[in-house]
């Protein structure tokens, strides 16, 4: 099959709004909309409006075009998609996160322009508990080939064993020609990570399918530590004629699990996980290869080795990056089943489409070695009752039939199931959405549940410890290969005796619990990992993790202009927070101590604290104008003790307890230094933070030094002194200008702002901002950032494609 990126030259419009414009996919229409407090999307979707969005593309076919097959793959369109070709409906899809294909060759006209129109209807709000984006926010691929061809995503590679290394290649053939099956042959070439051919095979095709096994000599196995990737090249022939050719990347790895643990290629593996929403921060939902590569790389460098795709199927670009860097993935299906969580969500279409969603998700994920688990959903209440339990079993069996090599799991909130079984369901029933049903509900809904969680705090971890809760949750938990527990760490020590055959992990946990959770992961073999909420901050569900200093920051559901959750081990731009340092201490990854400081610029104000964040500290000792204010200094290390000093004067010494030590000191500019002593009292590490001097400059630090036309570069922008200390309390509004570049986004990690990411002007937050720029053409990309007095410039050479 020929695969062609089909992302250029689309004409975009919004129904009811005058004007059209040219866009390049992926394109998130929502991130360019004007937010307002009265939008029905509410705090969940960050007060963005919805609408009906139309994308048009004229595709000119030559008169001699004789391809027998043509289809479009849409990786993600939000939502209720309708595709027409030359005015004829060619396909639809209600779910906004699933990859799907639409066959278009029956409607094409050779020698003419062919009009392709994609309509995405995201007008009914609210329809999600978090930011969704709108429109064609993931890439589109044109697929063409002969009438006899490999089925799309029909070449699948499985690892049969890792020692000795053996793989199996399965192929599905589709034919609409007169070729007899006996005359078809498939040639297979397996290339190692250096692209050397290590084995080949040839076979006759029969009944539209073919399977063959191959021994791989001296195999380089794929894992989080050795992400080596192989290539399978499959060629379909009819005699001497080549009918089709497919190339797939894969990894040789075998995942196994039992109550003694999770094993990758025979090695016990503990999942250092984080939950990850689909949006790309300042870019909205638009899914760019470079953005996903950057995000996975930075998470891996921070110490994570696993991601939970929360709460919808992961983008292909994300999985590709996870394959590349060695990141395990729990790929999730939905945030709801047939019970509504929000007034207009996918529950109304779920029953008609869930089987197709699962089928397409497995086809998309099959050859990605990073995917080790599928999830049947997040915090659904349906499995508290027999109908939902039957459905869970059916979906698990469907996953197994499509892919017998991966575990099936789910993010199961045991407290939600327990409440639902007792008649206190936080969601509706049977997907109904009428006012009477809403009135009959027990006064509980998703927002109220989260508000109660705020009040109960981490005590929710023990809410499902009783025998009745165990009885209610056992049917669905025992249906799953590996059971995911959301906020139920109190059950961890109990399950070894209560359910000796069960394998479990923390599928969603409070980040401040990582020390005790990871201690249990290391202690109990059947507990195979922990996924904190969250690895990276995200848009929507505004302020769920915020430590707020403003009067509107109290409570769970924060008002406009809050825009992000403010809940991430890495912030919206990818900068580290105290959450990741605690995790690194728990994971045993810190060679030296780390200093992180809670904001010093709110004297006398106690922040309203969220239960989804254990600290709001950042690694900074540079707070102009804050001399004399109290500073809370957090020191992170795995064990031993630490001595803290300021400007050469010792301030105190404390033992490390549960990964950290906390000091309260008066802020004075200068050098804050910590010395670490091991358990034997020997000095074995140190760290320091330095205050910036008064003379600050705008500094641009492009993350790539050369570019190819069309490539995207991320450019961190900081306010810092000559010694590169970033100032956290002298924020400025900056303007950006480009030559030979397209601005995709410019903004900061501020979780509460009315500024726009696409305006070209934004105020730094704790001294930092980020620009995302696409190089337009060959030559030099020039980026200028100014505050009206100072200007910084970066020049990046750009070569042609």
């Amino acid at each position: 099959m020929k695969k062609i990126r089909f992302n250029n030259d689309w004409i975009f419009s919004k129904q009811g709004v005058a004007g059209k414009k040219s866009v390049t996919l992926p394109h998130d229409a929502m991130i360019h909309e004007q937010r307002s407090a009265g939008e029905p999307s509410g705090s969940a979707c960050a007060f963005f409006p919805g609408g009906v969005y139309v994308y048009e593309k004229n595709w000119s076919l030559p008169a001699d075009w004789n391809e027998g097959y043509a289809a479009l793959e849409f990786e993600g369109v939000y939502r209720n998609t309708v595709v027409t070709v030359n005015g004829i409906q060619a396909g639809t899809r209600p779910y906004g996160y699933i990859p799907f294909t639409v066959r278009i060759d029956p409607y094409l006209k050779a020698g003419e322009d062919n009009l392709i129109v994609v309509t995405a209807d995201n007008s009914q709000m609210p329809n999600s508990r978090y930011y969704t984006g709108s429109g064609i926010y993931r890439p589109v691929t044109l697929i063409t080939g002969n009438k006899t061809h490999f089925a799309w995503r029909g070449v699948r590679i499985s690892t049969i064993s890792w020692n000795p290394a053996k793989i199996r290649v399965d192929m599905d053939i589709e034919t609409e020609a007169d070729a007899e099956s006996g005359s078809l042959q498939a040639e297979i070439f397996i290339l190692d990570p250096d692209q050397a051919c290590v084995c080949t095979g040839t076979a006759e095709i029969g009944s539209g399918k073919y399977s063959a096994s191959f021994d791989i000599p001296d195999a380089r196995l794929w894992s989080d530590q050795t992400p080596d990737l192989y290539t399978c090249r499959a060629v379909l022939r009819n005699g001497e004629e080549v009918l089709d050719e497919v190339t797939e990347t894969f990894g040789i790895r075998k995942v196994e699990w039992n109550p003694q643990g999770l094993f990758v290629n025979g090695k016990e593996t503990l999942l250092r996980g984080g939950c990850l929403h689909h949006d790309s921060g300042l870019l909205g939902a638009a899914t760019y290869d470079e953005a996903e590569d950057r995000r996975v790389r930075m998470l891996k460098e921070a110490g994570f080795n696993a991601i939970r795709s929360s709460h919808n199927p992961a983008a292909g670009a994300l999985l590709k990056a996870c394959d590349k860097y060695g990141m395990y993935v729990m790929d999730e299906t939905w945030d709801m089943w047939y019970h509504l969580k929000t007034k207009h969500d996918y529950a109304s279409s779920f029953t008609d489409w869930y089987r197709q969603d699962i089928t397409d998700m497995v086809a998309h994920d099959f050859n990605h070695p990073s995917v080790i688990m599928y999830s049947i959903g997040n915090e659904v209440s349906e499995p508290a009752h027999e109908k939902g339990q039957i459905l869970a079993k059916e979906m698990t069996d469907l996953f197994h039939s499509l892919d017998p090599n991966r575990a099936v799991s789910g993010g199961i909130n045991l407290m939600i199931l327990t409440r639902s079984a007792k008649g206190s369901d936080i969601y509706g029933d049977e997907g109904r959405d009428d006012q009477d049903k809403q009135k009959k509900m027990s006064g509980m809904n998703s927002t109220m549940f989260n508000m109660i969680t705020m009040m109960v705090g981490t005590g929710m971890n023990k809410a499902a410890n009783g025998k009745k809760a165990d009885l209610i949750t056992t049917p669905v938990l025992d249906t799953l290969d590996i059971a995911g527990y959301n906020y139920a760490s109190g059950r961890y020590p109990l399950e070894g005796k209560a359910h000796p055959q069960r394998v479990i992990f923390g599928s969603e946990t409070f980040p401040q619990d990582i020390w005790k959770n990871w201690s249990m992961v290391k202690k109990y073999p059947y507990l195979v990992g922990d996924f904190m909420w969250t690895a990276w901050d995200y848009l929507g569900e505004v302020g769920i993790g915020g430590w707020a200093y403003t009067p509107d920051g109290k409570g769970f559901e924060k008002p406009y202009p809050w825009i992000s959750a403010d809940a991430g081990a890495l912030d919206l731009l990818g900068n580290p927070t105290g959450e990741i340092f605690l995790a690194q201490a728990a994971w045993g990854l810190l060679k030296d101590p780390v200093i992180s400081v809670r904001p010093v610029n709110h004297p006398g104000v106690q922040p309203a604290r969220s239960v989804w964040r254990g600290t709001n500290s950042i690694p900074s000792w540079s707070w102009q104008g804050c001399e004399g204010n109290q500073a809370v200094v957090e020191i992170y290390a795995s064990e031993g003790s630490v001595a803290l000093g300021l400007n050469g004067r010792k301030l105190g010494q404390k033992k490390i307890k549960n990964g950290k030590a906390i000091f309260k000191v008066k802020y004075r500019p200068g050098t804050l230094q910590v010395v670490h002593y091991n358990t034997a009292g020997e000095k074995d590490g140190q760290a320091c933070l330095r205050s910036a001097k008064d003379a600050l400059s705008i500094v641009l630090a492009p993350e790539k030094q050369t570019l190819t036309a069309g490539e995207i570069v991320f450019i961190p922008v900081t306010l810092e002194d000559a010694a590169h200390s970033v100032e956290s309390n002298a924020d400025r509004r900056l303007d950006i200008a480009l030559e030979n570049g397209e601005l995709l986004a410019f903004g900061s990690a501020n979780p509460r702002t009315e500024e726009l990411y696409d305006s070209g002007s934004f105020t730094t937050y704790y001294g930092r901002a980020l620009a995302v720029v696409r190089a337009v053409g060959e030559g030099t990309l020039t980026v200028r950032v100014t505050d009206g007095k100072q200007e910084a410039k970066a020049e990046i050479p750009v070569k042609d494609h």
Side-chain angles (χ1 to χ4, degrees), residues 21 33 92 170 176 198 212 367 415 475 481 633 653 661 731 734:
K21 65 177 182 179
E33 303 261 33
T92 64
D170 295 296
E176 299 174 21
V198 294
N367 290 331
M415 187 173 84
D481 298 312
V633 179
Q653 185 164 341
D731 288 314
L734 303 176

Side-chain angles (χ1 to χ4, degrees), residues 4-13 21-29 53-57 72-77 116 118 134-142 285-290 710 712 742 744 774:
I4 302 171
R5 288 282 192 174
F6 210 60
N7 295 325
N8 296 330
D9 304 319
W10 289 83
I11 303 299
F12 166 79
S13 62
K21 65 177 182 179
S22 177
V23 298
T24 299
L25 305 181
H27 175 256
D28 176 11
Y53 307 93
V54 181
Y55 296 80
E56 304 173 65
K57 182 179 175 74
L72 293 174
E73 183 190 55
F74 298 88
E75 280 212 40
V77 185
I116 298 169
V118 181
S134 293
I136 309 178
Y137 67 95
R138 289 179 181 170
V140 178
T141 301
L142 172 66
T287 304
Y288 298 97
D289 290 353
E290 295 93 335
I712 293 169
E742 175 190 1
L744 299 181
R774 177 158 45 204

Side-chain angles (χ1 to χ4, degrees), residues 337-489:
W337 289 357
Y338 49 81
H339 284 177
L340 290 161
K341 287 189 175 181
T342 55
K343 187 175 181 180
H344 299 291
D345 68 28
Y346 183 63
S348 58
S349 300
F350 174 85
T351 301
D352 294 331
W353 283 94
Y354 72 88
R355 296 178 186 85
Q356 190 63 53
D357 288 346
I358 290 174
T359 300
D360 290 341
M361 177 177 168
V362 171
H364 180 264
D365 290 8
F366 198 97
N367 290 331
H368 288 284
S370 56
V371 179
I372 63 171
M373 282 188 283
Y374 300 115
S375 165
I376 61 174
N378 171 65
E379 293 192 344
V380 292
S381 60
E382 290 89 335
H385 308 282
E386 183 179 10
K387 178 181 175 181
Q389 294 160 9
I390 293 171
L391 177 60
K393 178 65 164 59
E394 178 197 336
M395 291 194 292
T396 300
D397 289 344
L398 178 56
F399 270 115
H400 286 161
S401 69
L402 296 169
D403 186 351
N405 301 310
R406 287 183 171 94
V408 179
S409 184
I412 308 299
N413 190 307
L414 282 65
M415 187 173 84
I416 286 178
L417 292 187
T418 303
R419 292 186 62 95
S420 180
K422 294 178 179 179
S424 186
D425 200 332
I426 70 169
Y427 307 126
D429 60 355
E430 305 302 322
R432 293 177 61 219
D433 185 31
D434 56 86
Q435 292 182 353
D436 289 339
K437 184 270 295 181
Q438 298 291 343
K439 292 177 182 178
K440 292 176 183 177
M441 288 176 65
S442 60
M444 190 69 140
N445 58 37
S446 178
T447 298
M448 290 181 66
F449 172 76
N450 284 322
M451 291 171 65
I452 289 174
T453 300
M454 287 280 289
M455 292 184 287
V456 174
T458 57
M460 184 169 67
N461 288 321
K462 298 180 180 180
N465 283 11
K467 291 183 179 180
K468 288 186 178 179
D470 188 23
L471 184 65
I472 291 165
T473 58
T474 285
V476 67
L477 295 175
D478 281 352
T479 293
L480 304 172
D481 298 312
I482 304 178
Y485 288 26
N486 280 19
Y487 308 109
S489 58

Side-chain angles (χ1 to χ4, degrees), residues 389-639:
Q389 294 160 9
I390 293 171
L391 177 60
K393 178 65 164 59
E394 178 197 336
M395 291 194 292
T396 300
D397 289 344
L398 178 56
F399 270 115
H400 286 161
S401 69
L402 296 169
D403 186 351
N405 301 310
R406 287 183 171 94
V408 179
S409 184
I412 308 299
N413 190 307
L414 282 65
M415 187 173 84
I416 286 178
L417 292 187
T418 303
R419 292 186 62 95
S420 180
K422 294 178 179 179
S424 186
D425 200 332
I426 70 169
Y427 307 126
D429 60 355
E430 305 302 322
R432 293 177 61 219
D433 185 31
D434 56 86
Q435 292 182 353
D436 289 339
K437 184 270 295 181
Q438 298 291 343
K439 292 177 182 178
K440 292 176 183 177
M441 288 176 65
S442 60
M444 190 69 140
N445 58 37
S446 178
T447 298
M448 290 181 66
F449 172 76
N450 284 322
M451 291 171 65
I452 289 174
T453 300
M454 287 280 289
M455 292 184 287
V456 174
T458 57
M460 184 169 67
N461 288 321
K462 298 180 180 180
N465 283 11
K467 291 183 179 180
K468 288 186 178 179
D470 188 23
L471 184 65
I472 291 165
T473 58
T474 285
V476 67
L477 295 175
D478 281 352
T479 293
L480 304 172
D481 298 312
I482 304 178
Y485 288 26
N486 280 19
Y487 308 109
S489 58
R491 289 273 293 263
Y492 297 169
L494 310 177
E495 304 301 64
K497 291 183 178 179
H499 302 282
Q501 298 306 310
R502 192 177 290 176
V503 184
I504 68 174
F505 68 104
S507 45
E508 189 170 319
T509 62
F510 296 113
Q512 61 268 34
D513 292 343
I514 183 62
W515 184 271
K516 64 180 181 181
N517 286 347
W518 197 251
S519 297
M520 288 189 283
V521 170
K522 292 186 292 184
K523 180 177 180 180
Y524 302 116
Y526 54 85
L527 178 62
V528 300
D530 176 273
F531 287 72
M532 70 169 64
W533 191 268
T534 58
W536 196 294
D537 193 17
Y538 57 97
L539 300 179
E541 214 169 16
V542 299
I544 185 177
W547 281 27
Y549 296 94
T550 54
D552 65 358
K554 297 179 180 180
F556 170 77
E557 195 170 12
K558 295 180 177 60
Y560 179 85
W562 287 79
I563 188 170
S564 77
D566 198 20
L570 303 184
D571 72 14
L572 206 63
L573 310 186
N575 299 309
T577 72
E579 304 285 14
I580 191 58
F581 303 138
L582 179 60
Q584 290 169 343
W587 295 332
L589 300 180
L590 293 181
K591 295 181 180 180
D592 289 303
V594 175
I595 310 172
S596 198
V597 181
R598 297 179 193 174
V600 182
N601 54 350
H602 301 281
V605 179
Q606 289 297 318
R609 301 185 181 188
S610 166
V611 71
W612 278 278
R613 179 179 286 282
T615 180
N616 65 341
S617 67
I618 61 173
S620 173
W621 189 250
S622 192
W623 303 88
Q624 287 186 9
C626 295
E627 190 164 349
N629 292 356
Q630 185 183 72
V632 179
V633 179
E634 302 168 349
I635 311 297
Y636 294 95
S638 295
E639 58 182 5

Side-chain angles (χ1 to χ4, degrees), residues 85-281:
V85 180
N86 295 323
I88 303 172
Q89 182 172 304
T92 64
R93 201 57 176 260
Y95 192 32
Y97 298 107
I98 201 74
F100 64 97
T101 58
V102 174
R103 187 160 181 180
I104 62 173
D105 59 84
Y107 318 109
L108 296 176
K109 300 176 182 178
E112 301 181 29
D113 283 348
N114 291 268
L115 179 62
I116 298 169
V117 179
V118 181
T119 303
D121 187 346
N122 193 22
S123 58
Q124 291 186 306
M125 294 282 187
N127 60 54
S128 175
R129 298 187 306 115
Y130 44 88
Y131 181 85
T132 62
S134 293
I136 309 178
Y137 67 95
R138 289 179 181 170
V140 178
T141 301
L142 172 66
I143 310 154
T144 62
N146 293 302
K147 287 189 177 293
T148 299
H149 54 265
F150 292 116
W152 177 240
R153 302 198 183 279
V155 177
R156 302 177 301 279
I157 303 98
S158 304
T159 300
I160 305 304
S161 65
W162 62 274
N163 187 21
K166 181 184 287 290
I167 65 169
R168 186 180 70 246
V169 180
D170 295 296
M171 293 177 288
D172 295 336
I173 311 298
E174 294 177 348
T175 180
E176 299 174 21
D178 296 329
E180 297 180 3
S181 61
S183 64
L184 297 178
Q185 286 186 332
E187 294 179 309
I188 301 171
F189 305 86
I190 305 298
L191 311 181
D192 69 12
D194 299 318
Q195 295 300 294
C197 186
V198 294
C199 59
T200 62
T202 303
E204 305 293 329
I205 299 295
S207 303
K209 293 182 180 292
Y210 169 61
S211 296
S213 298
F214 298 90
D215 295 320
I216 309 297
D218 302 318
R220 292 155 65 175
L221 304 179
W222 188 96
S223 72
D224 63 323
Q225 296 178 333
T226 57
D228 290 310
L229 295 170
Y230 282 71
T231 302
C232 174
R233 178 169 168 258
V235 180
L236 180 64
R237 293 181 180 273
N238 182 14
E240 295 299 317
E241 181 186 6
V242 174
L243 299 176
D244 199 3
E245 182 174 332
V246 169
T247 299
E248 293 284 350
T249 301
F250 69 98
I252 301 174
R253 65 107 181 90
K254 185 74 172 176
V255 180
E256 299 168 293
W257 58 92
N258 59 52
Q260 296 306 308
L262 177 73
F263 301 89
V264 179
N265 304 325
K267 180 181 179 181
E268 184 180 14
T269 299
L270 304 180
L271 302 176
R272 304 188 302 273
C275 299
L276 192 69
H277 265 308
H278 78 291
D279 71 79
S280 296

